[in-house]
Amino acid sequence: MNRVYNFSAGPSMLPLPVLEKAASELCCYGDSGMSVMEMSHRSPAYEAIIAEAQALIRELMNIPDNYKVLFLQGGASTQFAAVPLNLMNKNHKADYIVSGQFSKKAWKEAQKYGDAKCIASSEDKNNTYIPQITRADIRPDADYVHVCFNNTIYGTKFNYIPDTGDIPLVADMSSCIMSEPVDVTKFSVIYAGAQKNIAPAGLTIVIVREDLLGQSRADIPVMLDWKTQADNDSMYNTPPCYPIYMAKLVFEWIKELGGLEAMKAYNIKKCKVLYDYLDNQSYYIAPVEKEYRSMMNVTFVTGDADLDKKFAKEADAAGFKNIKGHRSVGGMRASIYNAMPIEGVEKLIAFMDAFAKNNPKNA
Ligand SMILES: *Cc1c(COP(=O)(O)O)cnc(C)c1O
């Protein structure tokens, strides 16, 4: 077995012990005589799996009892519509901070359902920073405020939690969920596609404060109604059974490491070696303003599109996969989610250094 370092932004690496455990019970889970993939979602064996996944995410993220955790399908992108359909139903207004492509997509989707306003944007500097907003920027009658907490494509992260007062704060945390502890009580809704930090694609996590359930528009598709999903323990229809099982294994892995504080310490250590390297040389440029740097997605360029291309190609051949930046921004992006070991980052730095020496820029 020759596993590469996969720097993909998502789907991305899963912890090897998790894959090995899944492999060991792939064909026969416990004494059930069947794979988790073949089980009825209403069977006692599966009910134990989903209950354990629920209990573990609550424990690890310290989620208070007045929040529901939903295991849904459709990806974070489906929540771009579900959020307004569930919440934009009092004053039909919502405020969006647009700090990258996913928040822009979310904002565009919400415009279909009401008055969705972009109250701050970082597009003026190619999303290399996070706009700072205060209560004064928020419309007092907004039904909610939406943020994308970690911008996967640009490699920026909120370094503060916007104070929205009594107005619900909704956060897309697809690319940073469980990378560190967050104070869930500061948010009304947190949602995330699982394929970056939690599980294979197919599972979407929604964490929603209970008092926000039951306010949805009458014409909401039943599958998007958080209340329906909450009332049915995410089993209104068949849930994404296997990704939920994989999420449970990942949660167990995080717990074994020492929980989210330990995960955070490891992630800080990991991204620090890379940022320290970037800050102490002049070949590569890291475009993101320092205080908004993401722990999970590290972007850099050589300043020469041809060299960037060569870098991505040679990195790939050397076993550093998917390091090419998003097609819309170019350059490079090393996504170093929870499952990326620090050795992967250290070896990448050695590769970067050698590449810089072997490919001098014509000044
Ligand atoms: C990947 C990603 C999305 C899109 O997720 P899907 O599950 O593919 O819909 C949305 N928001 C953020 C921040 C992401 O990183």
Side-chain angles (χ1 to χ4, degrees):
M1 182 172 67
N2 193 12
R3 281 185 50 90
V4 296
Y5 293 111
N6 180 7
F7 291 89
S8 171
S12 45
M13 286 184 83
L14 286 161
L16 187 57
V18 166
L19 293 174
E20 285 170 340
K21 170 100 183 179
S24 77
E25 35 192 45
L26 185 73
C27 297
C28 183
Y29 179 80
D31 60 3
S32 70
M34 63 180 84
S35 169
V36 173
M37 284 183 259
E38 302 167 298
M39 269 177 198
S40 163
H41 57 295
R42 314 265 179 212
S43 63
Y46 192 76
E47 286 197 338
I49 291 171
I50 194 169
E52 184 62 14
Q54 172 85 219
L56 281 167
I57 191 173
R58 285 185 167 281
E59 178 187 340
L60 290 166
M61 289 185 70
N62 196 18
I63 299 171
D65 288 344
N66 64 325
Y67 285 74
K68 294 285 188 190
V69 180
L70 311 177
F71 296 135
L72 308 178
Q73 306 202 36
S77 304
T78 296
Q79 295 306 313
F80 295 168
V83 167
L85 285 164
N86 278 281
L87 297 181
M88 208 205 270
N89 200 26
K90 276 184 184 156
N91 300 316
H92 310 285
K93 288 183 184 179
D95 288 353
Y96 278 71
I97 300 179
V98 177
S99 55
Q101 290 198 16
F102 290 116
S103 47
K104 193 167 191 178
K105 282 185 177 170
W107 173 47
K108 287 241 155 89
E109 189 77 349
Q111 288 169 33
K112 295 177 183 169
Y113 304 110
D115 171 7
K117 183 184 172 193
C118 167
I119 56 164
S121 159
S122 49
E123 272 188 317
D124 59 334
K125 291 191 198 160
N126 198 29
N127 300 312
T128 50
Y129 71 104
I130 296 290
Q132 294 282 335
I133 64 145
T134 66
R135 293 274 277 276
D137 299 306
I138 301 166
R139 293 181 292 181
D141 56 348
D143 289 335
Y144 63 89
V145 175
H146 180 280
V147 296
C148 177
F149 219 61
N150 183 79
N151 295 287
T152 325
I153 292 173
Y154 297 92
T156 60
K157 194 192 129 195
F158 271 73
N159 62 354
Y160 72 106
I161 298 175
D163 173 13
T164 60
D166 291 337
I167 300 174
L169 177 62
V170 178
D172 176 356
M173 290 201 185
S174 295
S175 52
C176 59
I177 191 164
M178 300 185 97
S179 61
E180 62 181 336
V182 289
D183 183 352
V184 173
T185 66
K186 295 272 196 306
F187 299 87
S188 295
V189 181
I190 292 170
Y191 66 92
Q195 68 272 24
K196 278 97 189 211
N197 249 350
I198 290 182
L203 168 65
T204 312
I205 309 263
V206 176
I207 302 166
V208 52
R209 216 177 59 212
E210 268 169 1
D211 61 287
L212 294 167
L213 299 172
Q215 301 179 12
S216 58
R217 289 163 51 124
D219 61 356
I220 189 172
V222 67
M223 282 294 293
L224 300 190
D225 193 337
W226 296 330
K227 181 164 194 313
T228 305
Q229 298 288 0
D231 288 348
N232 290 279
D233 296 324
S234 306
M235 294 249 202
Y236 175 77
N237 72 333
T238 316
C241 299
Y242 200 75
I244 292 169
Y245 156 76
M246 288 296 289
K248 179 187 93 99
L249 297 186
V250 170
F251 299 157
E252 286 168 349
W253 175 77
I254 295 175
K255 187 171 171 177
E256 196 137 304
L257 287 178
L260 294 190
E261 283 295 350
M263 202 71 253
K264 178 185 184 176
Y266 191 58
N267 285 327
I268 286 178
K269 199 169 143 192
K270 232 165 38 182
C271 74
K272 191 173 179 310
V273 285
L274 187 46
Y275 283 124
D276 281 352
Y277 170 72
L278 287 166
D279 288 341
N280 289 297
Q281 53 77 56
S282 57
Y283 190 83
Y284 303 99
I285 303 144
V288 169
E289 290 182 21
K290 283 186 186 170
E291 61 267 48
Y292 304 113
R293 282 174 166 176
S294 168
M295 276 202 303
M296 299 279 101
N297 313 97
V298 179
T299 50
F300 56 95
V301 298
T302 62
D304 175 331
D306 288 336
L307 277 180
D308 287 353
K309 223 167 146 184
K310 189 163 188 253
F311 182 100
K313 199 168 158 225
E314 291 185 10
D316 185 86
F320 306 103
K321 300 290 178 185
N322 297 306
I323 204 134
K324 194 164 163 268
H326 189 268
R327 57 189 182 278
S328 63
V329 286
M332 277 74 74
R333 170 179 51 175
S335 294
I336 50 174
Y337 297 116
N338 285 354
M340 171 63 69
I342 194 159
E343 298 76 45
V345 179
E346 286 164 350
K347 287 181 184 162
L348 174 67
I349 292 169
F351 173 84
M352 289 169 72
D353 213 36
F355 183 88
K357 292 204 172 82
N358 295 335
N359 296 274
K361 295 182 200 167
N362 328 313

